[in-house]
Amino acid sequence: MPYAAQLSLQEATGPTMEEVIFLHDHVLLLTCLMSLVIMMFALTATMTTLTHNDPTEEVEQLEAAWTAAPIMILILTALPSVRSLYLMEEVFDPYLTIKATGHQWYWNYEYSDNIQMSFDSYMIQTKDLQNGSPRLLEVDHRMVMPAGLQARVVVTAEDVLHSWAIPSLGVKVDAVPGRLNQIPLTTSRVGVFFGQCSEICGANHSFMPIAMEAIPLYHFEQWLIKDQ
């Protein structure tokens, strides 16, 4: 959950979000360093330049510098970006598959891989919330998965465009009618993680939250037996 007046990204609760934060910090540090170097170079050149005019049309060293510098910046930015994209989209032998289908305005979850179960997830109205429950985020049926194991989430939509997103896990997948998008989902600890539809989908777009609960594997197996 984000805190009041928080300026940074949410705390990472999975390997995907850890990669996002690492890439963000890397690009931010690179940008600040390059800006500082350029400012110091411009300041030094201004203070040490002679008062007469120096033509710069045929200065090969300067042309080589302003060509090589952007290339190095792009390489230093592209390499970690490609690595992060690969790790964020590759599915490695998932423990289970969950299909999330967006509707106007709720989510439907269907468990497969020898688990035949499906349920709808609606937002709990403010007057029905229990003490301590987050407003506009809590749902009547949470999506449940085992912590520490990888799940494959297949996302689609029934009517219009939606988007299945949980910021603390670094997950955001477009839900497109007639198309299946998949993404790996892994949590590094137990807990309840909230998100919302991130694609404007109609009048009640703000009232179709996402609540995912990660529990130990033993408790997950008990939950399956109880709800099937």
Side-chain angles (χ1 to χ4, degrees), residues 6-10 12 15-33 76-77 79-85 88:
Q6 179 177 345
L7 298 179
S8 60
L9 299 174
Q10 291 191 29
T16 302
M17 190 58 183
E18 291 175 357
E19 285 294 326
V20 172
I21 293 177
F22 168 78
L23 179 61
H24 170 269
D25 295 343
H26 174 81
V27 174
L28 184 63
L29 178 61
L30 180 63
T31 304
C32 293
L33 288 178
L76 293 175
T77 304
L79 291 180
S81 300
V82 172
R83 175 179 178 274
S84 298
L85 287 174
M88 291 169 59

Side-chain angles (χ1 to χ4, degrees), residues 118-137:
S118 176
F119 56 86
D120 296 331
S121 179
Y122 289 89
M123 185 192 76
I124 298 179
Q125 300 298 321
T126 303
K127 60 184 178 60
D128 299 325
L129 286 174
Q130 298 180 357
N131 291 335
S133 298
R135 189 176 69 90
L136 302 181
L137 290 177

Side-chain angles (χ1 to χ4, degrees), residues 144-170:
V144 181
M145 62 170 287
L149 297 177
Q150 187 183 77
R152 174 174 53 215
V153 181
V154 180
V155 182
T156 186
E158 183 69 22
D159 34 46
V160 299
L161 292 177
H162 300 277
S163 183
W164 197 82
I166 302 180
S168 62
L169 294 175

Side-chain angles (χ1 to χ4, degrees), residues 21-214:
I21 293 177
F22 168 78
L23 179 61
H24 170 269
D25 295 343
H26 174 81
V27 174
L28 184 63
L29 178 61
L30 180 63
T31 304
C32 293
L33 288 178
M34 291 305 301
S35 300
L36 182 61
V37 170
I38 293 174
M39 290 176 59
M40 293 300 297
F41 174 79
L43 182 61
T44 304
T46 302
M47 297 178 63
T48 59
T49 300
L50 299 177
T51 56
H52 63 80
N53 180 36
D54 287 331
T56 58
E57 286 81 3
E58 297 180 0
V59 181
E60 297 179 355
Q61 295 84 353
L62 184 60
E63 293 178 357
W66 69 45
T67 302
I71 294 176
M72 292 302 299
I73 294 174
L74 290 176
I75 292 176
L76 293 175
T77 304
L79 291 180
S81 300
V82 172
R83 175 179 178 274
S84 298
L85 287 174
Y86 174 77
L87 294 176
M88 291 169 59
E89 296 184 1
E90 189 68 19
V91 180
F92 302 98
D93 190 22
Y95 176 77
L96 79 161
T97 299
I98 306 173
K99 182 181 179 182
T101 305
H103 299 262
Q104 289 181 317
W105 288 271
Y106 64 95
W107 292 96
N108 173 269
Y109 298 103
E110 180 180 350
Y111 288 70
S112 56
D113 294 343
N114 301 323
I115 304 174
Q116 301 301 324
M117 183 171 56
S118 176
F119 56 86
D120 296 331
S121 179
Y122 289 89
M123 185 192 76
I124 298 179
Q125 300 298 321
T126 303
K127 60 184 178 60
D128 299 325
L129 286 174
Q130 298 180 357
N131 291 335
S133 298
R135 189 176 69 90
L136 302 181
L137 290 177
E138 189 59 86
V139 298
D140 55 356
H141 293 90
R142 297 171 178 169
M143 189 192 91
V144 181
M145 62 170 287
L149 297 177
Q150 187 183 77
R152 174 174 53 215
V153 181
V154 180
V155 182
T156 186
E158 183 69 22
D159 34 46
V160 299
L161 292 177
H162 300 277
S163 183
W164 197 82
I166 302 180
S168 62
L169 294 175
V171 175
K172 183 178 183 296
V173 191
D174 289 336
V176 183
R179 178 175 177 177
L180 298 176
N181 293 325
Q182 71 170 13
I183 193 168
L185 186 63
T186 308
T187 63
S188 55
R189 60 180 176 85
V190 298
V192 181
F193 313 106
F194 296 98
Q196 290 180 307
C197 177
S198 298
E199 186 75 33
I200 297 177
C201 55
N204 292 330
H205 158 69
S206 301
F207 305 105
M208 53 179 302
I210 301 162
M212 194 276 288
E213 183 175 2

